[in-house]
Amino acid sequence: MQEIVLKNITKDYRSNEAYKALRTNIEFSGADNKVIVLTSCTPDEGKSTVSLNLSISLAESGKRVLFIDADLRKSVLTGRHRVTEEVKGLSHFLSGQAEVDEVMYKTQEEGLIVMFAGVVPPNPSELLGQKRFEALISSARKVYDYIIIDAPPLGSVIDAAVIARVCDASVLVTAANAVSYKFARTVKEQLEKTGCPILGVVLNKVNMKQNKYYGKYYGKYYGNYGEK
């Protein structure tokens, strides 16, 4: 298997504890929840960061994890983590331009395997809806303890709903004060229509200094951290 180094992975005590809590919630949601898709309402809510760091946290606990970047329209993974090598990804596999072993990359995190998005195709939804994607997930279930899928925002495109149909559960990532309650509810209803159970919502990008309760709690025990 090919190897890749994901750079620019920053960790601090507060975020580590948050991802451990999320990991624990995932683990206690049930043994049948192996394939989990994460989506959001809009872009820039931190969905991709949460997805990858959840995958890392699961791997750190001794699990064998496959992280799939299924945001075929606007992936940030290679740029954000300074992957300068030419890599093949999910779009190459789904379009028949590569075999599965050509798009799997072992990372520096023990137990974590990554599949990049690949080049932007003209028909992302159609590719994700093909039997080839379903077969990929079915095969991966036999090898990995968890498969974490980073999907595009459901409030923008339908891709996440297509992906959710082959998943065991879903998680909605929403940034604090980023979307209205009405819009978030509409996206939640779209996700429910796929038949994929929603495990919960991750509230991201919370300003601890402005939140009187959490700001006081985390400030007292962990110190003050600037938002990234």
Side-chain angles (χ1 to χ4, degrees):
M1 185 179 290
Q2 305 168 84
E3 296 186 12
I4 203 84
V5 175
L6 298 176
K7 305 180 182 71
N8 200 29
I9 295 178
T10 56
K11 299 179 182 179
D12 58 54
Y13 187 84
R14 179 166 62 84
S15 61
N16 271 347
E17 290 302 302
Y19 287 118
K20 283 180 182 178
L22 178 58
R23 178 187 78 198
T24 300
N25 287 335
I26 295 291
E27 290 174 332
F28 277 89
S29 70
D32 292 336
N33 293 329
K34 293 186 63 173
V35 184
I36 301 169
V37 58
L38 282 80
T39 186
S40 59
C41 296
T42 61
D44 303 318
E45 293 193 74
K47 162 189 61 65
S48 296
T49 298
V50 171
S51 301
L52 180 60
N53 280 285
L54 169 60
S55 301
I56 292 172
S57 186
L58 284 165
E60 287 175 341
S61 71
K63 301 295 190 295
R64 186 164 172 78
V65 183
L66 172 62
F67 172 79
I68 300 177
D69 182 359
D71 194 341
L72 301 184
R73 299 171 189 266
K74 193 181 178 182
S75 172
V76 299
L77 190 64
T78 54
R80 180 173 293 167
H81 298 290
R82 302 172 189 169
V83 177
T84 56
E85 300 93 327
E86 185 176 338
V87 294
K88 291 184 178 180
L90 181 60
S91 64
H92 293 93
F93 171 74
L94 295 179
S95 60
Q97 299 179 56
E99 295 303 318
V100 68
D101 60 332
E102 297 179 88
V103 296
M104 297 281 198
Y105 293 86
K106 185 178 181 181
T107 70
Q108 74 270 26
E109 302 288 342
E110 184 73 26
L112 177 63
I113 307 300
V114 166
M115 182 182 293
F116 296 97
V119 296
V120 179
N123 55 342
S125 297
E126 288 79 2
L127 281 179
L128 291 165
Q130 291 179 355
K131 290 290 185 181
R132 195 168 170 88
F133 181 68
E134 186 177 344
L136 168 67
I137 300 303
S138 180
S139 298
R141 285 178 181 275
K142 302 170 185 176
V143 179
Y144 299 93
D145 298 308
Y146 286 98
I147 303 164
I148 304 299
I149 305 176
D150 177 18
L154 186 53
S156 303
V157 292
I158 200 65
D159 300 16
V162 176
I163 294 168
R165 291 171 186 164
V166 298
C167 297
D168 302 320
S170 60
V171 173
L172 187 61
V173 178
T174 183
N177 304 315
V179 297
S180 68
Y181 171 79
K182 184 178 180 180
F183 185 43
R185 185 175 62 184
T186 299
V187 172
K188 172 179 171 287
E189 290 171 353
Q190 281 184 286
L191 200 50
E192 287 174 333
K193 288 177 182 177
T194 66
C196 182
I198 302 174
L199 295 182
V201 176
V202 173
L203 183 61
N204 198 29
K205 298 186 177 181
V206 176
N207 189 325
M208 294 300 182
K209 292 181 180 179
Q210 290 183 356
N211 188 301
K212 293 181 181 179
Y213 176 77
Y214 288 105
K216 180 179 179 181
Y217 179 82
Y218 282 108
K220 179 180 179 181
Y221 290 98
Y222 306 139
N224 292 316
Y225 294 85
E227 291 300 311
K228 296 180 180 178

